Each structure stands twice: as structure tokens, then as C-alpha cells.
Amino acid sequence: MQARLRAMQARLNGTPHLRRLGRLFSETVLLKVDDAEYYLVFDRGALAAIQCGPSRKTPWRFALSTDAAALEAFWQARPEPGFHDIFGLVKIGRGRVDGDILALVKNLRFFKEFMALGRDVEEVPA
């Protein structure tokens, strides 16, 4: 999981339009996958740190909780319906959003596109 998050961090750094979208976003987001916790520390649209949890002392603004199989389905190059979006995961009962929903909604496009950076790159036939 950490390798995928590090790859997403590198892809974010190489995506100027996404960095512009998140330029006002400086928050800590909890990504909970099964029993593992990852604190994603964003600073003005950059993923500044990835901290492993669990930690009762690390404050977070909002959290996305899901299971590993659902997240792997979400990260497919062409995800199935329900796995195509973070709210799709919630709708089919495979995800949960907690915390300050307003902070999520205000930065929804940035966060959704950031999470999509983990998707497998689809091979284009020659």
C-alpha cells in the first residue's frame, strides 16, 4: 500500500493542473484500508507526508475507510460500476466517509483525482 501511495505522490508532483486544483488544500486525510491507517498530509496541493498509523494523536480533517479488495477494484484501469468513484464505494457499502464532509466537498475534485492517480495505466493497443 505504501508503495502505491508513494507512486501517487510522485504522479501528483508531475501533474500541474492537479497541483493547481489543490493549491488551497492543506489538510491531513485519514485513509483507512482494512485495519491499516495512512495519514496523508497535504500542503497546498502537494502530498507532503505519508504517515502510517494507527495513531490517536494525529488529527485528521476527513477520512475514507474501505477494504483492500474494494480499493484494488477502484484502482483498476477501468473500474466496474460502483468502484469508479469514492462515493460509488460508499453507495455499494464498500466505503465510508467520516469527519468534516464540508472540507471534502470543497476539495472534492482534487481529492477524487488524487485517489484516481493510483489507477493502473491502461495499455493502448498499437
Side-chain angles (χ1 to χ4, degrees), residues 38-119:
Y38 304 93
Y39 296 89
L40 309 177
V41 182
F42 291 93
D43 182 30
R44 294 179 301 218
L47 183 54
I50 302 166
Q51 301 169 353
C52 291
S55 171
R56 297 254 186 235
K57 295 182 180 182
T58 304
W60 45 270
R61 181 65 85 186
F62 60 86
L64 173 63
S65 304
T66 187
D67 60 90
L71 198 54
E72 281 303 317
F74 174 84
W75 280 335
Q76 295 300 308
R78 289 184 181 230
E80 295 292 321
F83 295 97
H84 66 288
D85 183 73
I86 59 176
F87 287 116
L89 293 173
V90 172
K91 185 175 181 180
I92 63 171
R94 300 289 296 272
R96 180 182 167 130
V97 176
D98 294 305
D100 187 352
I101 303 302
L102 182 58
L104 171 60
V105 172
K106 286 166 90 174
N107 300 284
L108 187 59
R109 182 171 174 205
F110 170 76
F111 188 69
K112 287 168 88 169
E113 286 192 34
F114 168 75
M115 288 300 294
L117 289 176
R119 290 206 167 121

